[in-house]
Amino acid sequence: MQNLAPVINLGRRDRTLRLAFVAAVISLTAVFAAVGSTIPLFNIYRAQEGFTNADISLTVVAYSAATLSTLLFLGRLSNHLGRRPVAIASLGLLAVACLLLLSVHDIGMLITGRLLMGFGAGLASSSLTAYIVDTSPTRPTWLASVASSQTVMFGLAVGAVTSGALVQFGPWPRQLVYLVVIGLLLLSAALVAVSPETVTLRPGGWHSLRPSVRVPVRVRHLLPVAAGLFLATWATGAFYQAFVPALVADQLHTSNSLVLGLVFAAYMGSSAVGAPLGGRFSSAAGQRIGMTAFLAGWIGLITAITTGVLPLFIAATIVAGAAQGIAISTATRGLLFGSTLPDRAPIFAVIYLLSYSGATIPSLISARLSSIFTVPELARGYAGFAVLATLLTAVAARNPHTGTDQEQR
């Protein structure tokens, strides 16, 4: 019996960590399903409340700015307070945001709700993604980076499709999806509450609030290419949130909320499907392949917008989304190379700081320019950003160092 006890305890620990992994994935999905649930409603707000494209773009800016500030100041907090309390707080903030969005009649209420969503998503982006990596099985080796980077995209897709279906076919089109999401968030909080903690609580929580942006020295050489990649791909995601509702209605000639949800999900959902393909390549090769295909997708998008062909737009969206998944997951895998438990929350804070900068800054510029340029013209500007990021990746992508030597390029 003495010989069997360590094996039994290890087996129980593995099962407990697997349950925690599932809880963390479900919770992160719920967080970003809440974020994605507002997107099919944007056209309803435009039609019924008179919101403009600039107004909708500003809600994306508000959400992204709140997420950025939360990551900057609170990105390391879960290292001190624990993953679970910070994750539960993030889920609570999202639930409060959804309660506010049950009654949107002016742009201020929509912006306030999106701000609260941003604060909650910021806490979740560092704590829940780190919790996923902490509890992830060791096989397959790509699972931690794919689950931590692509659960966000999967959640956005789930939220958009569910919202689109409920808005189009369900009762209370402006409220029902938020009630469903609140239920999912509460369930997720309960799952996290009964899961094990992976962090040993330690002092320094107040000190961790001081802004700090860092990654381990061993992967710092990967940051410039990763930055360009995260900025360009998340800028495209913000474009889909802010302008694709109007684009689908005005340029592609459909006002169906489910179609809008499916178009957005085609980008985010295919990202989650494409990400495991990145496990077949080295970090550098995956980034090059992903960004090249991402640019090809953008070429298809511009062609579809110019010709007004919806099937081509959806096909190009799927290509760009899958390519984004490959690029983001392999870049994340490179930055996580050799990471220890205390490294993970700061690394994810940097990843999402870059990502949400890509969502915020172009959206803010686009909001200012939307009264001067048409949506198709703004789309070409986003495509130009993709060209620059692809060129940088093709020239400068590298693998993490292993020991004292660098992997083959």
Side-chain angles (χ1 to χ4, degrees):
M1 291 297 294
Q2 282 183 327
N3 292 334
L4 288 175
V7 176
I8 293 171
N9 290 335
L10 184 60
R12 287 175 179 168
R13 179 178 179 277
D14 287 344
R15 285 194 297 273
T16 303
L17 286 179
R18 281 197 293 270
L19 290 173
F21 175 75
V22 171
V25 169
I26 290 173
S27 298
L28 194 61
T29 300
V31 166
F32 286 94
V35 175
S37 67
T38 59
I39 294 164
L41 285 160
F42 284 159
N43 276 348
I44 289 181
Y45 297 146
R46 285 202 313 154
Q48 296 181 3
E49 306 298 340
F51 298 167
T52 66
N53 287 339
D55 290 334
I56 298 300
S57 187
L58 284 176
T59 69
V60 176
V61 172
Y63 162 77
S64 300
T67 308
L68 274 171
S69 60
T70 304
L71 286 165
L72 188 61
F73 290 98
L74 304 178
R76 297 176 294 159
L77 193 60
S78 69
N79 279 352
H80 301 274
L81 299 185
R83 308 290 193 224
R84 293 164 62 246
V86 177
I88 291 171
S90 74
L91 293 163
L93 282 170
L94 267 296
V96 172
C98 289
L99 286 172
L100 286 178
L101 293 174
L102 287 171
S103 181
V104 173
H105 296 292
D106 59 78
I107 193 63
M109 182 61 73
L110 182 57
I111 288 175
T112 301
R114 293 287 285 180
L115 274 170
L116 279 178
M117 282 188 168
F119 293 135
L123 284 177
S125 294
S126 60
S127 61
L128 279 171
T129 48
Y131 197 31
I132 286 172
V133 177
D134 293 348
T135 57
S136 175
T138 56
R139 292 287 184 272
T141 56
W142 48 261
L143 181 60
S145 63
V146 169
S148 57
S149 65
Q150 296 304 310
T151 300
V152 172
M153 309 303 177
F154 178 71
L156 288 167
V158 168
V161 172
T162 302
S163 178
L166 293 177
V167 168
Q168 192 67 31
F169 304 112
W172 318 315
R174 293 173 57 148
Q175 289 84 30
L176 182 57
V177 65
Y178 295 128
L179 295 174
V180 170
V181 168
I182 289 169
L184 180 58
L185 291 166
L186 293 177
L187 172 63
S188 300
L191 290 173
V192 172
V194 299
S195 297
E197 181 58 70
T198 56
V199 171
T200 302
L201 303 189
R202 56 194 178 95
W206 285 108
H207 179 73
S208 74
L209 302 184
R210 187 174 63 187
S212 175
V213 179
R214 65 175 180 84
V215 295
V217 174
R218 66 181 173 275
V219 294
R220 203 164 289 169
H221 67 288
L222 306 178
L223 203 54
V225 170
L229 185 155
F230 291 134
L231 288 167
T233 54
W234 278 65
T236 300
F239 171 79
Y240 270 77
Q241 289 188 56
F243 294 109
V244 165
L247 192 65
V248 168
D250 301 338
Q251 301 294 131
L252 302 176
H253 315 299
T254 178
S255 59
N256 187 297
S257 295
L258 179 56
V259 170
L260 174 56
L262 289 171
V263 168
F264 184 75
Y267 182 67
M268 295 301 177
S270 59
S271 178
V273 172
L277 297 176
R280 299 174 178 269
F281 310 108
S282 69
S283 178
Q287 290 173 71
R288 290 191 181 104
I289 292 167
M291 288 306 292
T292 301
F294 180 72
L295 180 57
W298 255 114
I299 292 169
L301 290 171
I302 296 299
T303 304
I305 292 169
T306 302
T307 58
V309 179
L310 182 59
L312 176 59
F313 187 87
I314 293 174
T317 293
I318 292 171
V319 170
Q324 169 188 261
I326 295 171
I328 289 177
S329 64
T330 50
T332 301
R333 191 174 80 226
L335 292 173
L336 286 173
F337 179 79
S339 65
T340 61
L341 192 145
D343 290 335
R344 290 166 189 163
I347 288 172
F348 278 113
V350 170
I351 289 172
Y352 283 108
L353 276 169
L354 291 168
S355 300
Y356 281 106
S357 294
T360 305
I361 297 170
S363 292
L364 185 59
I365 295 170
S366 297
R368 297 288 185 182
L369 296 178
S370 62
S371 61
I372 302 171
F373 297 102
T374 65
V375 174
E377 288 171 336
L378 292 173
R380 295 187 191 102
Y382 281 90
F385 196 4
V387 170
L388 294 176
T390 302
L391 290 174
L392 174 63
T393 304
V395 171
R398 297 291 184 272
N399 286 310
H401 295 308
T402 55
T404 57
D405 298 321
Q406 188 173 347
E407 289 182 357
Q408 293 296 315
R409 287 174 56 186

